[in-house]
Amino acid sequence: MQALARNTRVALLFAVGLTLPAAPIIAHEAPRVRYQEIPEGAYSVVAQVRAKPGKEDMLRAATLPLIELVRGDPKNLVYFLSEDRAKPGHFIFYEVFASQADFDAHNAMPYVKDWFARLPELADGGVEVMRMAILGKPKN
């Protein structure tokens, strides 16, 4: 008798579930790197910054918002922020812009200036930057 009642409740819940409108499923596609859109000679930057001892969490908190902001910049082609697994607070930036002018415009953005203004408090030294050129012609 209890098994019948349990099975009836399960069947009823299943039937009710079928009649309710399903919640919309919205798949947000992550932005993808489109290698064919990166011109040969594009302006690339590899940079690193290290947190002062005890400031690792604060530097991370100040730096993480850059991911969405920089990737939202229409002139940015690629942006990755990485943290050393063995040395928390040691961050590596990888950025690609079509030209140095685009990169310079990025560095003039208020959020970038604000981040740099916080570095004396949070970072051990400044940002070490390597300015690079992308090699290889895009394939269509």
Short mmCIF file of all heavy atoms in Angstrom, two decimals, residues 42-50 90-97 100 103 107 126-134:
data_model
loop_
_atom_site.label_atom_id
_atom_site.label_comp_id
_atom_site.label_asym_id
_atom_site.label_seq_id
_atom_site.Cartn_x
_atom_site.Cartn_y
_atom_site.Cartn_z
N ALA A 42 50.73 41.96 -35.19
CA ALA A 42 49.88 42.55 -34.15
C ALA A 42 50.71 42.81 -32.91
O ALA A 42 51.71 42.14 -32.64
CB ALA A 42 48.71 41.61 -33.84
N TYR A 43 50.28 43.78 -32.14
CA TYR A 43 51.01 44.23 -30.96
C TYR A 43 50.62 43.35 -29.78
O TYR A 43 49.46 43.29 -29.37
CB TYR A 43 50.66 45.69 -30.66
CG TYR A 43 51.64 46.37 -29.77
CD1 TYR A 43 52.84 46.85 -30.28
CD2 TYR A 43 51.38 46.55 -28.42
CE1 TYR A 43 53.75 47.50 -29.46
CE2 TYR A 43 52.28 47.19 -27.60
CZ TYR A 43 53.46 47.67 -28.12
OH TYR A 43 54.37 48.31 -27.31
N SER A 44 51.60 42.65 -29.25
CA SER A 44 51.38 41.71 -28.16
C SER A 44 52.20 42.13 -26.95
O SER A 44 53.30 42.65 -27.10
CB SER A 44 51.79 40.31 -28.62
OG SER A 44 51.80 39.41 -27.56
N VAL A 45 51.62 41.92 -25.79
CA VAL A 45 52.31 42.24 -24.55
C VAL A 45 52.25 41.04 -23.63
O VAL A 45 51.19 40.43 -23.45
CB VAL A 45 51.64 43.46 -23.86
CG1 VAL A 45 52.21 43.68 -22.47
CG2 VAL A 45 51.81 44.70 -24.70
N VAL A 46 53.38 40.69 -23.07
CA VAL A 46 53.46 39.72 -21.99
C VAL A 46 54.02 40.50 -20.81
O VAL A 46 55.10 41.10 -20.91
CB VAL A 46 54.37 38.53 -22.34
CG1 VAL A 46 54.45 37.56 -21.16
CG2 VAL A 46 53.86 37.82 -23.59
N ALA A 47 53.26 40.54 -19.73
CA ALA A 47 53.66 41.34 -18.57
C ALA A 47 53.51 40.51 -17.30
O ALA A 47 52.75 39.54 -17.27
CB ALA A 47 52.82 42.60 -18.49
N GLN A 48 54.25 40.92 -16.29
CA GLN A 48 54.10 40.24 -15.00
C GLN A 48 54.16 41.25 -13.87
O GLN A 48 54.80 42.30 -13.99
CB GLN A 48 55.14 39.15 -14.83
CG GLN A 48 56.57 39.63 -14.73
CD GLN A 48 57.53 38.45 -14.54
OE1 GLN A 48 57.14 37.34 -14.21
NE2 GLN A 48 58.81 38.71 -14.74
N VAL A 49 53.48 40.90 -12.81
CA VAL A 49 53.49 41.70 -11.59
C VAL A 49 53.43 40.74 -10.42
O VAL A 49 52.78 39.70 -10.50
CB VAL A 49 52.32 42.73 -11.57
CG1 VAL A 49 50.97 42.05 -11.55
CG2 VAL A 49 52.47 43.69 -10.42
N ARG A 50 54.15 41.10 -9.37
CA ARG A 50 54.19 40.26 -8.17
C ARG A 50 53.65 41.06 -6.99
O ARG A 50 54.03 42.22 -6.80
CB ARG A 50 55.62 39.81 -7.88
CG ARG A 50 56.18 38.86 -8.90
CD ARG A 50 57.65 38.52 -8.57
NE ARG A 50 58.21 37.61 -9.54
CZ ARG A 50 58.80 37.99 -10.66
NH1 ARG A 50 58.90 39.25 -10.98
NH2 ARG A 50 59.29 37.08 -11.49
N HIS A 90 51.69 36.05 -8.04
CA HIS A 90 52.54 36.33 -9.20
C HIS A 90 51.66 36.16 -10.43
O HIS A 90 51.24 35.05 -10.77
CB HIS A 90 53.72 35.36 -9.23
CG HIS A 90 54.63 35.57 -10.41
ND1 HIS A 90 55.61 34.68 -10.73
CD2 HIS A 90 54.72 36.56 -11.33
CE1 HIS A 90 56.26 35.10 -11.80
NE2 HIS A 90 55.72 36.24 -12.18
N PHE A 91 51.36 37.29 -11.08
CA PHE A 91 50.42 37.31 -12.20
C PHE A 91 51.14 37.55 -13.52
O PHE A 91 52.07 38.36 -13.59
CB PHE A 91 49.37 38.40 -11.99
CG PHE A 91 48.55 38.18 -10.76
CD1 PHE A 91 48.89 38.80 -9.57
CD2 PHE A 91 47.46 37.34 -10.77
CE1 PHE A 91 48.15 38.59 -8.41
CE2 PHE A 91 46.70 37.12 -9.63
CZ PHE A 91 47.06 37.74 -8.44
N ILE A 92 50.68 36.86 -14.55
CA ILE A 92 51.18 37.04 -15.91
C ILE A 92 50.00 37.47 -16.78
O ILE A 92 48.93 36.87 -16.73
CB ILE A 92 51.78 35.73 -16.49
CG1 ILE A 92 52.89 35.18 -15.60
CG2 ILE A 92 52.24 35.93 -17.94
CD1 ILE A 92 54.15 36.01 -15.59
N PHE A 93 50.21 38.51 -17.55
CA PHE A 93 49.20 39.03 -18.48
C PHE A 93 49.65 38.72 -19.90
O PHE A 93 50.83 38.89 -20.22
CB PHE A 93 49.08 40.55 -18.35
CG PHE A 93 48.74 41.03 -16.98
CD1 PHE A 93 49.72 41.13 -16.00
CD2 PHE A 93 47.45 41.39 -16.66
CE1 PHE A 93 49.42 41.58 -14.73
CE2 PHE A 93 47.14 41.86 -15.39
CZ PHE A 93 48.12 41.95 -14.43
N TYR A 94 48.72 38.31 -20.72
CA TYR A 94 48.99 38.11 -22.14
C TYR A 94 47.91 38.87 -22.89
O TYR A 94 46.72 38.58 -22.74
CB TYR A 94 48.99 36.63 -22.52
CG TYR A 94 49.30 36.41 -23.98
CD1 TYR A 94 50.58 36.63 -24.46
CD2 TYR A 94 48.31 36.05 -24.87
CE1 TYR A 94 50.87 36.47 -25.81
CE2 TYR A 94 48.59 35.88 -26.22
CZ TYR A 94 49.87 36.09 -26.67
OH TYR A 94 50.16 35.93 -28.01
N GLU A 95 48.32 39.87 -23.67
CA GLU A 95 47.37 40.74 -24.35
C GLU A 95 47.78 40.90 -25.81
O GLU A 95 48.97 40.98 -26.11
CB GLU A 95 47.34 42.13 -23.69
CG GLU A 95 47.12 42.07 -22.21
CD GLU A 95 47.21 43.44 -21.54
OE1 GLU A 95 46.67 44.41 -22.09
OE2 GLU A 95 47.83 43.52 -20.47
N VAL A 96 46.79 40.96 -26.69
CA VAL A 96 47.06 41.19 -28.10
C VAL A 96 46.11 42.28 -28.60
O VAL A 96 44.90 42.21 -28.38
CB VAL A 96 46.88 39.91 -28.95
CG1 VAL A 96 47.14 40.20 -30.43
CG2 VAL A 96 47.79 38.80 -28.46
N PHE A 97 46.70 43.25 -29.27
CA PHE A 97 45.97 44.33 -29.93
C PHE A 97 46.48 44.41 -31.36
O PHE A 97 47.61 44.02 -31.65
CB PHE A 97 46.22 45.67 -29.21
CG PHE A 97 45.64 45.71 -27.82
CD1 PHE A 97 46.34 45.20 -26.74
CD2 PHE A 97 44.38 46.24 -27.60
CE1 PHE A 97 45.80 45.22 -25.47
CE2 PHE A 97 43.82 46.26 -26.33
CZ PHE A 97 44.54 45.75 -25.27
N GLN A 100 50.05 49.15 -31.86
CA GLN A 100 50.51 49.81 -30.65
C GLN A 100 49.55 50.94 -30.28
O GLN A 100 49.32 51.18 -29.10
CB GLN A 100 51.93 50.36 -30.83
CG GLN A 100 52.44 51.02 -29.55
CD GLN A 100 53.86 51.48 -29.62
OE1 GLN A 100 54.58 51.20 -30.56
NE2 GLN A 100 54.28 52.20 -28.59
N PHE A 103 46.88 49.50 -28.26
CA PHE A 103 47.37 49.19 -26.91
C PHE A 103 47.52 50.47 -26.09
O PHE A 103 47.14 50.51 -24.92
CB PHE A 103 48.70 48.44 -26.99
CG PHE A 103 49.29 48.17 -25.64
CD1 PHE A 103 48.72 47.23 -24.80
CD2 PHE A 103 50.42 48.85 -25.20
CE1 PHE A 103 49.27 46.97 -23.54
CE2 PHE A 103 50.97 48.60 -23.96
CZ PHE A 103 50.39 47.65 -23.12
N ASN A 107 45.75 51.49 -22.53
CA ASN A 107 46.43 51.95 -21.32
C ASN A 107 45.92 53.30 -20.84
O ASN A 107 46.11 53.65 -19.68
CB ASN A 107 47.94 52.00 -21.53
CG ASN A 107 48.58 50.66 -21.29
OD1 ASN A 107 47.99 49.77 -20.70
ND2 ASN A 107 49.80 50.51 -21.76
N GLY A 126 57.31 47.29 -10.01
CA GLY A 126 56.31 47.63 -11.01
C GLY A 126 55.94 46.45 -11.87
O GLY A 126 56.19 45.30 -11.53
N VAL A 127 55.35 46.76 -12.98
CA VAL A 127 54.97 45.74 -13.95
C VAL A 127 56.14 45.59 -14.92
O VAL A 127 56.63 46.58 -15.47
CB VAL A 127 53.70 46.16 -14.72
CG1 VAL A 127 53.34 45.11 -15.76
CG2 VAL A 127 52.55 46.38 -13.77
N GLU A 128 56.59 44.37 -15.11
CA GLU A 128 57.62 44.08 -16.10
C GLU A 128 56.91 43.73 -17.40
O GLU A 128 56.03 42.87 -17.42
CB GLU A 128 58.47 42.90 -15.64
CG GLU A 128 59.25 43.17 -14.37
CD GLU A 128 59.98 41.94 -13.89
OE1 GLU A 128 60.49 41.16 -14.73
OE2 GLU A 128 60.02 41.74 -12.66
N VAL A 129 57.29 44.41 -18.47
CA VAL A 129 56.57 44.27 -19.74
C VAL A 129 57.52 43.87 -20.85
O VAL A 129 58.61 44.44 -21.00
CB VAL A 129 55.87 45.61 -20.12
CG1 VAL A 129 55.15 45.48 -21.44
CG2 VAL A 129 54.92 46.05 -19.02
N MET A 130 57.10 42.90 -21.63
CA MET A 130 57.77 42.56 -22.89
C MET A 130 56.80 42.93 -24.01
O MET A 130 55.65 42.49 -24.00
CB MET A 130 58.09 41.07 -22.97
CG MET A 130 59.18 40.62 -22.04
SD MET A 130 59.67 38.90 -22.32
CE MET A 130 58.18 38.02 -21.93
N ARG A 131 57.25 43.73 -24.94
CA ARG A 131 56.44 44.14 -26.08
C ARG A 131 56.84 43.27 -27.26
O ARG A 131 58.01 43.23 -27.62
CB ARG A 131 56.64 45.62 -26.35
CG ARG A 131 56.20 46.46 -25.17
CD ARG A 131 56.68 47.89 -25.23
NE ARG A 131 56.47 48.56 -23.96
CZ ARG A 131 55.34 49.13 -23.58
NH1 ARG A 131 54.29 49.08 -24.37
NH2 ARG A 131 55.24 49.72 -22.41
N MET A 132 55.85 42.60 -27.81
CA MET A 132 56.13 41.57 -28.81
C MET A 132 55.36 41.84 -30.10
O MET A 132 54.43 42.65 -30.11
CB MET A 132 55.70 40.20 -28.27
CG MET A 132 56.07 39.92 -26.82
SD MET A 132 57.79 39.56 -26.56
CE MET A 132 57.82 37.87 -27.06
N ALA A 133 55.73 41.15 -31.16
CA ALA A 133 55.01 41.17 -32.43
C ALA A 133 54.53 39.76 -32.72
O ALA A 133 55.30 38.79 -32.57
CB ALA A 133 55.89 41.66 -33.56
N ILE A 134 53.28 39.62 -33.12
CA ILE A 134 52.72 38.31 -33.48
C ILE A 134 53.30 37.88 -34.82
O ILE A 134 53.33 38.65 -35.77
CB ILE A 134 51.18 38.39 -33.56
CG1 ILE A 134 50.58 38.73 -32.20
CG2 ILE A 134 50.60 37.09 -34.10
CD1 ILE A 134 50.76 37.69 -31.13
#
